[in-house]
Amino acid sequence: CMRACARATPLASATSARGGGKNSRAGTTKTRAMATVTVKEVATTPIEGQKTGTSGLRKKAAVFSEGNYLANWVQSLFSALPRDDVEGSSMVLGGDGRWFNKEASQIILKLAAGNGVKKMYVGRDGYLCTPAASAVIRAREAVGGFIMSASHNPGGPTEDWGIKFNYSSGEPAPEKITDAIYGFTQTVDTLKMADIPDVDLSVCGVTKFGDFEVEVIDPVDDYLKLLKQVFDFDLIKSLLTRADFKMQFDAMHAITGAYAKPIFVDVLGADANSVVNGVPKEDFAGGHPDPNLTYAEELVKVMYSADAPDFGAASDGDGDRNMILGNNFFVTPSDSVAIIAANAVDCIPYFKSGLKGLARSMPTAAALDRVAAGLGVECFETPTGWKFFGNLMDAGRLSVCGEESFGTGADHVREKDGPWAVLAWLSILAYRNEDVPVGGEKVGVEQITKEHWAKYGRNFFSRYDYEGCESDPCNAMVESLRAKAAAAKKGDKYGDYELDFADDFEYTDPIDGSVAKKQGVRFVFTDGSRFIFRLSGTGSSGATVRMYIEQYEADPAKQGADAQDALAPLIAIALETSQLAKFTGRESPTVIT
């Protein structure tokens, strides 16, 4: 499926139209011209509940696939964008391959043509992982793009579906746009649908309908070209082709399965068996494509076995999250981004001139702050959501960033990037082992991590997820915590911990001055320890309570402790303060990270 597709240039299109090649999946292009587009105005009525969050709109797939639910939202987006941005523009379309994406692609194409878009770039078969979509938007100078995904959530007719719009820099649309979309969903009464047939998305090439054009592109091409500019592929290849190095990448039957073989195997020379679950499926083979210790159970078993590979990694549904493992060793996302940042200048050519700045989401452990201090660069603490990082990147103040929810990235795109994080770790490993002879004692993931702790200290960190809770009791719990934080005073005792401050995190964007309020209730202690509670907006129904626990340890003799053991006293205090079991009825979390 992922064989190379030639990009359709005017010359290539003309040759194809004269019968210069077969219309096959082997990579030749096609051009098909149709009559001028006729636009039909289809009556519709507003649908409740189409409020767009930081990660777009997510609901059950059955909701999106019924009636005009998707069409209403897409039409509202076109109405919300400045007319000059839409008329005559180019846009991008792709997604994670989940159920309903194929049908949704055709609806979006018809609405795009009906609303004045001139050209749509679509990943073959509707495929584009989220970071690749950002890369295509930037490479093709598009005004923006649609990403069809519910990220790490399950897929299938009874599971989740989602859509978001990324703007011209490749970053998720800002709040002023998502708020405007929601406003139009409450009044939309007409859909501008082009009267065109469905487009064959299985073959790369161009289809023209009058002034409207659809170009189906290889979903890997633009992204791979960008990665080659970021990393030293020869250096990474020297590691992956060593006789004594083994890796395993678990694509979890999600979108990065379409990228893993072309990148890791075909280009970088990894053994074909190093990629598992590499065929994308509409329902992710019934799995939950969230790369953590619970849902990536198959990879975890392999990496904690007697004959474990040297390096393991997994990615999520839409390819923007990652999990990194060594031989019998797990790297927390908070540590991962810090270690990448600490080694970036030496190991990754893209950063050879230095880092502009670093940033992390507020719940993410402060390991990155210590690296920033050591390097003498800015470090920003932002709300959860990649758009906040995008503003800093566009202003030239941010190079590497991450979120504890297994998202890591850099300013090569404006999204978190799972394969990028994997390649960053492979770059570090390749650099550290460049002079180690085959059969010699290799430097592994665990050694690199422990050396990092010895230099910067260890931020013990854990996240407890309570998924699928009833929304009202969760909201009541958060309100109770806000009241306790407001009443708390510096010096208050919480067991053996002394309070420094407690608040509901608020962020003023240093670039555009926008203010984000109520981003998570945090209790921070004088030794740097803290616990945080927030409700996640990444699900399609109910509420997910997230509890974050962090404690700093400078003493190398104590850094090897199990995180749950080290954090146990603070976890007990957090649960008691929040009264989580009382409010939610949950005695234990769904997932512990």
Side-chain angles (χ1 to χ4, degrees), residues 268-288:
L268 292 171
D271 188 283
N273 294 325
S274 64
V275 175
V276 299
N277 299 321
V279 178
K281 296 185 180 296
E282 289 190 339
D283 65 349
F284 310 119
H288 190 149

Side-chain angles (χ1 to χ4, degrees), residues 199 353 379 416:
V199 180
S353 61
C379 189
K416 46 185 172 281

Side-chain angles (χ1 to χ4, degrees), residues 276-338:
V276 299
N277 299 321
V279 178
K281 296 185 180 296
E282 289 190 339
D283 65 349
F284 310 119
H288 190 149
D290 193 353
N292 59 45
L293 295 171
T294 297
Y295 295 125
E297 181 182 8
E298 181 179 338
L299 177 65
V300 172
K301 285 182 178 178
V302 169
M303 295 306 300
Y304 279 84
S305 66
D307 189 30
D310 301 278
F311 177 78
S315 192
D316 73 325
D318 67 331
D320 62 357
R321 299 177 188 231
N322 71 94
M323 179 171 68
I324 302 298
L325 295 161
N327 184 319
N328 286 267
F329 191 80
F330 166 65
V331 184
T332 70
S334 299
D335 279 336
S336 181
V337 65

Side-chain angles (χ1 to χ4, degrees), residues 10-24:
L11 177 60
S13 298
T15 302
S16 179
R18 291 194 300 268
K22 292 184 179 180
N23 218 11
S24 73

